[in-house]
Amino acid sequence: FIVGHDGGSGYLVVDDTPAASNTNGAVTRANLGGGLVLGSGAGSYGGLQVLAGGKSFTYTSCHGSCVVEPVQLGVAGGTGEALVSGTGSIWYVSGDTSPVSGGVLGDPGDLQLGYSGKGVLTINDGGKVTLGQAAIDEIPPDNFSFQIVDFVDSVGDLHIAAQAGSEGVLNIGGAEGGAAQASGILAAAHAIFGAGAGRINFNHLDTAYQFDVVTEGAGKVNNYAGTTWLNGINTYSGETNLYGGALGLSNN
């Protein structure tokens, strides 16, 4: 599933407020079983917004017969942006997951932020992005729809600016250089900086925000506002910048 391709622009909005679906065509739930690419090709822009308690579930159902690609934001010179904002708003990312009676956990899901273009992921105001493993079960009698029966958080990886010349940005709270906002949650095993320009920005209002994701590779970690604790056994290299607030390290 591609949003913004070959020089085009597009948005997918997942919003759980009735007014949103009545006015701008937003949906309250989005199950994307063919993976997801936001912004593919030079001049392309693809956006995803999960708002106000909306839920998005991205996975690939291959039954072992195809190559499973991670979710990608910014491919081949394109720009992809995702915003997950609001209490109860969740973006679930899983890998190869097939409907099985009773549900069987699939493969972990990874997300590539700025693979060979520019990718920006902003999580704030209680929103959550979880990279994990899902188990799904078909719903009788027609078995054309399904339900998530189990989801294991924090077993997938976030890859930031994978290729040389790419740019990947993770914002917790407000945008880079913008006003601080309430924080959100990234549930992942690792955040891995690649060969491009990767940044993790904390720009929030919390007095003790806990970031448990293990951070690796060469990139920048910036704290603009709020008190942030980096709790992972981190091995990243590059700059650690304190522009405001406070930054605490444990297990580093």
Side-chain angles (χ1 to χ4, degrees), residues 186-235:
L186 171 67
H190 303 89
I192 304 170
F193 292 117
R199 301 186 297 283
I200 299 176
N201 301 312
F202 298 98
N203 190 15
H204 56 80
L205 304 173
D206 288 23
T207 57
Y209 182 79
Q210 308 294 318
F211 190 73
D212 297 327
V213 181
V214 175
T215 305
E216 306 171 359
K220 294 181 180 181
V221 175
N222 304 315
N223 203 91
Y224 288 94
T227 297
T228 304
W229 282 94
L230 304 181
N231 296 328
I233 303 176
N234 300 318
T235 60

Side-chain angles (χ1 to χ4, degrees), residues 21-34:
S21 60
N22 291 336
T23 57
N24 65 10
V27 296
T28 61
R29 300 287 188 274
N31 295 326
L32 305 176

Side-chain angles (χ1 to χ4, degrees), residues 106-197:
D107 295 331
D110 292 345
L111 192 155
Q112 292 181 339
L113 187 57
Y115 176 67
S116 52
K118 180 178 181 179
V120 180
L121 172 61
T122 301
I123 316 170
N124 60 31
D125 198 24
K128 180 178 181 180
V129 175
T130 176
L131 312 182
Q133 293 173 281
I136 58 178
D137 191 1
E138 295 174 332
I139 300 176
D142 55 22
N143 293 332
F144 290 148
S145 57
F146 66 87
Q147 59 188 346
I148 301 174
V149 295
D150 193 11
F151 195 93
V152 179
D153 285 333
S154 304
V155 293
D157 295 332
L158 176 67
H159 297 266
I160 304 174
Q163 295 189 5
S166 64
E167 182 180 359
V169 183
L170 169 65
N171 297 314
I172 302 293
E176 187 174 29
Q181 297 187 40
S183 66
I185 297 170
L186 171 67
H190 303 89
I192 304 170
F193 292 117

